[in-house]
């Protein structure tokens, strides 16, 4: 729609996670560094949490890309599974032919053999679970039991959990205290601050091919930061709608007026109180 009008090669604020658009803002950069260091040290469980829209899935995909050459990974994007189905999913991700297994015991046996074989090849194995707050309690317990597969000297499987803050609440249950104690590293993603929001917008525009002057006026940047709360997904939605508004009027810079209209069309975003009273 507006790409040609603003000199863009593609839409810069699509909601689909794309690692090319990853901005190494402090919180997200620290989270990635912690993940890589913890995995390098062969720690068992690692947990990354954050509010909806803070970029957990993007960080998850970036981690998988980073591990592509150095580790064998299993990725579970939707963990709302029964324990048996979880075992099957992990086994399939690691190349086990589950069709030849008659029951869960055989799947676990085949999975253990596969993990030992990968360990003998000096291959690190990492299980990455996105949206981990969706796991039923019995599946979380099954996940803990799965990490008991190890030799005397080698941890055969490492687990990275990405989830919303509800995951923290869930793991505080008395019945899940054993898994909670196994989480050696954890990190809470923070929203972007005002300066990072401006960097985020400029970064995405540049990745989309923009090479002109500031496309968002300073007042527009401040309003996007305040109304989005620094949540990247909301920043994307507001910026996209503001660009649409500017394009529709034939303007070549996004102003506070365009952002205000974008916010009023976005349920999850809120105009600052003073601006609401003024309007």
């Amino acid at each position: 729609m507006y790409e040609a009008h603003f000199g863009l090669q593609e839409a810069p604020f699509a909601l689909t996670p794309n690692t090319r658009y990853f901005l190494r803002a402090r919180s997200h950069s620290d989270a990635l560094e912690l993940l890589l260091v913890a995995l390098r040290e062969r720690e068992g469980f690692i947990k990354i949490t954050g509010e909806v829209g803070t970029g957990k899935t993007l960080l998850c995909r970036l981690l998988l890309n980073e591990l592509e050459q150095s580790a064998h990974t299993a990725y579970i994007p939707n963990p709302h599974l029964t324990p048996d189905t979880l075992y099957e999913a992990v086994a399939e991700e690691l190349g086990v032919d589950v069709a030849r297994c008659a029951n869960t015991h055989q799947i676990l046996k085949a999975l253990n053999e596969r993990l030992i074989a990968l360990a003998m090849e000096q291959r690190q194995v990492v299980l990455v679970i996105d949206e981990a707050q969706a796991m039923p309690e019995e599946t979380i317990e099954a996940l803990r039991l799965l990490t008991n597969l190890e030799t005397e000297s080698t941890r055969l499987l490492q687990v990275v959990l990405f989830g919303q803050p509800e995951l923290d609440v869930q793991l505080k249950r008395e019945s899940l205290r054993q898994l909670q104690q196994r989480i050696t590293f954890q990190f809470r993603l923070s929203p972007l601050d005002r300066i990072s929001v401006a960097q985020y917008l400029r970064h995405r525009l540049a990745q989309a091919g923009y090479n002109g002057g500031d496309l968002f006026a300073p007042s527009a940047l401040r309003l996007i930061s305040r109304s989005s709360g620094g949540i990247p997904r909301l920043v994307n939605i507001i910026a996209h709608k503001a660009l649409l508004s500017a394009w529709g009027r034939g303007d070549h810079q996004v102003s506070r007026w365009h952002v205000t209209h974008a916010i009023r069309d976005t349920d999850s975003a809120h105009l600052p109180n003073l601006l609401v009273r003024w309007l």
Side-chain angles (χ1 to χ4, degrees):
M1 292 178 286
Y2 52 68
E3 287 86 349
H5 179 75
F6 293 110
L8 299 164
Q9 296 174 4
E10 60 188 31
F13 300 112
L15 297 183
T16 304
N18 184 337
T19 55
R20 187 161 60 85
Y21 283 92
F22 179 74
L23 174 70
R24 290 183 176 271
R26 181 169 183 176
S27 177
H28 294 70
S29 180
D30 288 349
L32 180 60
E33 184 64 24
L34 178 140
L35 284 167
L36 294 175
V37 169
L39 290 173
R40 195 181 306 129
E41 296 298 320
R42 299 297 179 103
E43 299 293 345
F45 275 90
I46 308 160
K47 181 184 67 174
I48 304 293
T49 56
E51 288 290 347
V52 175
T54 49
K56 297 182 298 296
T57 297
L58 181 59
L59 185 62
C60 177
R61 293 190 178 183
L62 194 67
L63 175 65
L64 291 170
N65 290 347
E66 290 278 346
L67 296 175
E68 190 173 356
Q69 301 299 324
S70 61
H72 199 109
T73 58
Y75 175 51
I76 308 294
N78 180 15
H80 188 67
L81 307 168
T82 64
D84 290 348
T85 308
L86 174 69
Y87 293 146
E88 290 180 16
V90 174
E92 287 179 345
E93 283 286 302
L94 296 180
V96 175
D97 185 4
V98 296
R100 301 179 60 182
C101 303
N103 51 48
T104 302
H105 172 73
Q106 290 186 8
I107 290 175
L108 286 172
K109 181 179 178 182
L111 181 56
N112 190 42
E113 291 173 352
R114 175 62 173 157
L115 289 171
I116 291 174
L118 289 170
M120 292 180 66
E121 296 172 9
Q122 301 298 311
R123 292 296 303 275
Q124 183 181 11
V125 181
V126 181
L127 170 60
V128 179
I129 299 180
D130 200 4
E131 302 294 347
Q133 77 283 345
M135 281 192 295
E137 183 172 331
E138 61 272 17
T139 304
I140 296 178
E141 177 61 15
L143 178 64
R144 182 187 69 82
L145 295 175
L146 193 60
T147 60
N148 287 338
L149 301 176
E150 58 185 15
T151 66
E152 291 183 357
S153 59
T154 305
R155 189 182 299 278
L156 297 179
L157 182 67
Q158 295 170 270
V159 179
V160 181
L161 301 174
F162 288 89
Q164 296 171 19
E166 290 82 354
L167 177 63
D168 293 327
V169 176
Q170 193 172 14
L171 293 179
K172 288 179 180 178
R173 296 176 185 170
E174 182 68 16
S175 56
L176 296 175
R177 65 187 183 281
Q178 292 190 63
L179 187 142
Q180 174 79 340
Q181 291 171 0
R182 292 194 183 188
I183 297 175
T184 50
F185 285 91
Q186 54 189 321
F187 192 92
R188 179 75 173 267
L189 289 175
S190 302
L192 303 173
D193 59 24
R194 183 173 60 83
I195 294 175
S196 295
V197 167
Q199 293 174 339
Y200 178 84
L201 291 168
R202 295 187 185 107
H203 172 73
R204 292 191 73 100
L205 288 169
Q207 290 298 313
Y210 183 73
N211 58 8
D214 286 340
L215 188 51
F216 288 83
S219 60
L221 291 174
R222 290 193 295 271
L223 186 53
I224 291 175
S225 177
R226 292 182 65 184
S227 61
S228 67
I231 302 297
R233 184 180 297 165
L234 275 179
V235 172
N236 283 359
I237 293 171
I238 296 169
H240 169 66
K241 291 180 178 180
L243 285 173
L244 278 174
S245 179
W247 168 66
R249 291 170 57 91
D251 297 332
H252 288 274
Q253 187 181 50
V254 175
S255 69
R256 186 183 183 89
W257 186 91
H258 302 120
V259 174
T260 300
H261 278 261
I263 294 167
R264 294 172 78 174
D265 188 56
T266 305
D267 290 339
S268 300
H270 303 284
L271 286 166
N273 291 333
L274 288 175
L275 185 57
V276 170
R277 289 199 293 271
W278 180 83
L279 288 172

